[in-house]
Amino acid sequence: MRQAQQGDVASYKELLEGARVILLVYASRTLRRMGLHDQGSVDDLVQETLLAVHAKRHTYDPAQLFTPWLFAIARYKLIDFGRSRKRAGVVVGLEQVEDVLEAPVFADPTTETDLKVLMEQLPKKTRLILELVKLEGLSIAETAARTQMSESAIKVTVHRALKALRLRLSKKDME
């Protein structure tokens, strides 16, 4: 995004394509968790978010991490999507939207430098568990079996890891 803001067209195209891939995962997972998943809705949400990124690109602060900025826009577009569905007569409970917004959806860490840096700050075992559950999409039971830990220990570890990442992100935003 920094290069794109300086007029590098190739970097901007690369950024939008990378963001599109991340947003497809985000939209698919969040809409599925809300019970509103269909390919048309996923595509619409991704497109609306990319349009907002394009329109708001001048507001991005190059001194900050890109990923939280992108996901903030995606969250607002998700809220707009929920509102539009409600107006169309589809029942979307507030608790569904809140649950989805509370749970970050991570993309492939090889394409997201910001996430990679934050993840590297976590203890090795915690990072492994978070990667298995949030990146690879394994269930709690599958992760417990793979790591030879109890399911409750996996849940606690994931919760604490997400809390630590949120704290680090909020500290970074305050800098």
Side-chain angles (χ1 to χ4, degrees), residues 19-47 49 71 74 78 81 100 105-106:
R20 186 187 68 77
V21 171
I22 292 166
L23 292 170
L24 279 169
V25 172
Y26 175 80
S28 182
R29 288 183 182 173
T30 54
L31 292 176
R32 181 173 286 116
R33 289 173 61 199
M34 291 171 66
L36 301 172
H37 184 271
D38 64 73
Q39 194 57 47
S41 295
V42 169
D43 292 341
D44 289 348
L45 184 55
V46 169
Q47 187 65 29
T49 306
F71 279 116
L78 177 66
F81 176 83
V100 169
V105 179
F106 299 121

Side-chain angles (χ1 to χ4, degrees), residues 134-166:
K134 293 297 181 182
L135 297 177
E136 294 183 25
L138 295 181
S139 69
I140 298 296
E142 292 167 327
T143 303
R146 187 178 285 188
T147 60
Q148 298 180 339
M149 294 173 63
S150 70
E151 288 184 30
S152 62
I154 297 297
K155 289 177 186 177
V156 168
T157 302
V158 168
H159 172 76
R160 289 180 179 164
L162 292 175
K163 185 176 179 180
L165 289 175
R166 283 188 196 109

Side-chain angles (χ1 to χ4, degrees), residues 67-104:
T67 308
W69 183 83
L70 174 66
F71 279 116
I73 292 173
R75 285 184 182 102
Y76 284 117
K77 288 300 168 185
L78 177 66
I79 291 167
D80 290 346
F81 176 83
R83 287 180 185 146
S84 70
R85 295 289 254 188
K86 188 173 182 180
R87 283 191 299 271
V90 177
V91 177
V92 180
L94 180 60
E95 62 280 349
Q96 287 176 298
V97 175
E98 288 174 349
D99 287 346
V100 169
L101 294 179
E102 282 299 310

